[in-house]
Amino acid sequence: MKSTKNRQKNQSSNVSKKRTGSIKVRLVGTIVPIIILSIVVILSWTYSKSEQIISENAEQLLTASTKEQAASVGSWAKENLSVFKTVKKTLEHANFTKKQELSYLSKFLDEYESFPLGIYIGSKDGEFLDASGWVPDKDYVVAETDWYKEGVTHKDVTYGAAYLDNNTGDYIFSATALLDDGSGKDRVMAADVSLKSASEIVTSSNSMEYSKSLLVEKSSNTILASDNEEFRANVLDTSNSDELLAGIASKISSQNYEPALIHGYMVSMQPIDGTDWLLISYIQKATVLSKLTQLRTYIVILAII
């Protein structure tokens, strides 16, 4: 009898252990996946939220940097324009003789870094006054030059299209205006302005680390200045082999200057007042999120452990 009872107790105990073990397995099989899923959800949400916050802050910083650079270039352009307007006003009201006019123009030779050759005057009848001493060839026709053609259409001093100077390798544009001096002749005042100073602002004054900039002439889509020498002098087009440049060209053509993500780059654009130029800054989004990506890797490793 005792052996039978003991056998029954052992059998009952084994059944109880099996049930307990089965419950533990089911609990572990349920709880562990829930914990893992919870960790994954929390990490994913945290990373997504962190990425959003960092991206928004980076966009704001990039926009601020772009506006700051555009303001610096715009200030440079306005300073030069102010000088030209003063000269125009003086030439129109001083009643200078030709000798006095040349003497006045000579004061601007090597006075300003952006237009060291000073200011010159040309008229439709072929007259040409240049205090720098440059003498044009015999076949030089003032009325057929680009600067004169631009100038006769400008009542106020206006910047013209930029072109690459073969001698210096820098971009140059003409500042021109029609003189209303009472002479009865079509006379144009002009100056060759170098973009070297503006280029230095574009390439060396980024306040956002790792970001780069472009200075683009909107009418021709030409890159006048860039941190990347390979981009300089390129013409932006939607068919550009570089996806970033093609994307920027598309935005310019649509006149949409709002911040955007273009092929993995955060891009900010700012028109420069008083000019036909556009300041564009860009930075790889992966660069902005590099620290966060490292942190995510560390957290995933810790979570697995």
Side-chain angles (χ1 to χ4, degrees):
M1 288 291 292
K2 285 184 178 180
S3 63
T4 302
K5 287 181 179 180
N6 288 334
R7 196 179 301 115
Q8 288 176 345
K9 284 182 180 180
N10 289 334
Q11 290 175 349
S12 176
S13 176
N14 289 335
V15 169
S16 177
K17 287 180 179 179
K18 286 180 179 179
R19 287 178 178 174
T20 302
S22 178
I23 292 171
K24 287 181 179 179
V25 170
R26 285 201 297 271
L27 283 173
V28 170
T30 301
I31 293 171
V32 170
I34 290 174
I35 291 173
I36 292 173
L37 180 62
S38 298
I39 292 173
V40 170
V41 169
I42 291 171
L43 289 179
S44 299
W45 181 86
T46 302
Y47 180 81
S48 176
K49 204 66 180 175
S50 299
E51 180 181 354
Q52 180 184 345
I53 293 170
I54 291 173
S55 296
E56 287 175 355
N57 289 340
E59 183 180 292
Q60 291 174 2
L61 182 57
L62 186 65
T63 299
S65 176
T66 307
K67 287 182 177 179
E68 183 181 339
Q69 281 184 287
S72 296
V73 175
S75 177
W76 169 83
K78 286 178 181 177
E79 286 175 5
N80 290 325
L81 207 58
S82 177
V83 174
F84 299 140
K85 287 181 178 180
T86 300
V87 173
K88 180 179 185 296
K89 188 174 181 180
T90 301
L91 291 172
E92 289 177 336
H93 297 93
N95 294 319
F96 286 142
T97 63
K98 294 294 178 286
K99 185 177 181 180
Q100 290 172 330
E101 221 167 33
L102 276 171
S103 177
Y104 176 66
L105 294 177
S106 67
K107 295 178 180 179
F108 299 96
L109 293 175
D110 296 317
E111 183 68 21
Y112 295 90
E113 184 180 359
S114 297
F115 51 103
L117 298 179
I119 301 168
Y120 50 91
I121 299 172
S123 62
K124 188 176 182 180
D125 62 9
E127 180 186 64
F128 183 73
L129 298 176
D130 187 352
S132 70
W134 179 73
V135 179
D137 296 332
K138 291 181 180 180
D139 59 351
Y140 185 81
V141 181
V142 173
E144 293 180 0
T145 60
D146 291 335
W147 62 266
Y148 182 85
K149 291 177 181 178
E150 286 180 354
V152 291
T153 65
H154 301 155
K155 288 185 177 180
D156 296 318
V157 183
T158 306
Y159 291 141
Y163 60 93
L164 202 58
D165 182 51
N166 293 328
N167 295 323
T168 64
D170 295 321
Y171 269 101
I172 288 177
F173 60 91
S174 297
T176 60
L178 183 65
L179 290 174
D180 183 16
D181 56 6
S183 65
K185 297 193 299 183
D186 288 338
R187 303 180 77 222
V188 170
M189 179 196 85
D192 296 328
V193 185
S194 171
L195 264 169
K196 184 177 181 181
S197 296
S199 298
E200 290 174 355
I201 294 172
V202 172
T203 58
S204 63
S205 63
N206 291 338
S207 59
M208 183 177 184
E209 191 177 13
Y210 303 120
S211 68
K212 296 185 178 297
S213 300
L214 306 171
L215 182 64
V216 176
E217 186 177 58
K218 291 186 289 183
S219 59
S220 64
N221 272 8
T222 302
I223 299 175
L224 305 178
S226 171
D227 294 279
N228 189 337
E229 279 297 320
E230 293 181 1
F231 286 173
R232 188 171 176 269
N234 281 0
V235 176
L236 293 172
D237 190 272
T238 52
S239 62
N240 279 125
S241 58
D242 189 287
E243 292 182 333
L244 172 62
L245 297 185
I248 291 174
S250 178
K251 278 186 68 65
I252 293 176
S253 63
S254 65
Q255 296 186 345
N256 177 11
Y257 304 140
E258 293 298 316
L261 185 65
I262 301 176
H263 295 289
Y265 286 85
M266 302 176 73
V267 179
S268 177
M269 302 183 176
Q270 184 67 35
I272 299 174
D273 293 338
T275 70
D276 184 39
W277 308 331
L278 191 66
L279 199 290
I280 302 170
S281 296
Y282 61 95
I283 186 172
Q284 276 191 313
K285 188 174 182 180
T287 300
V288 172
L289 299 176
S290 60
K291 298 296 183 183
L292 180 62
T293 303
Q294 289 179 9
L295 180 61
R296 179 186 61 178
T297 303
Y298 296 148
I299 291 175
V300 169
I301 292 172
L302 288 173
I304 291 173
I305 293 173

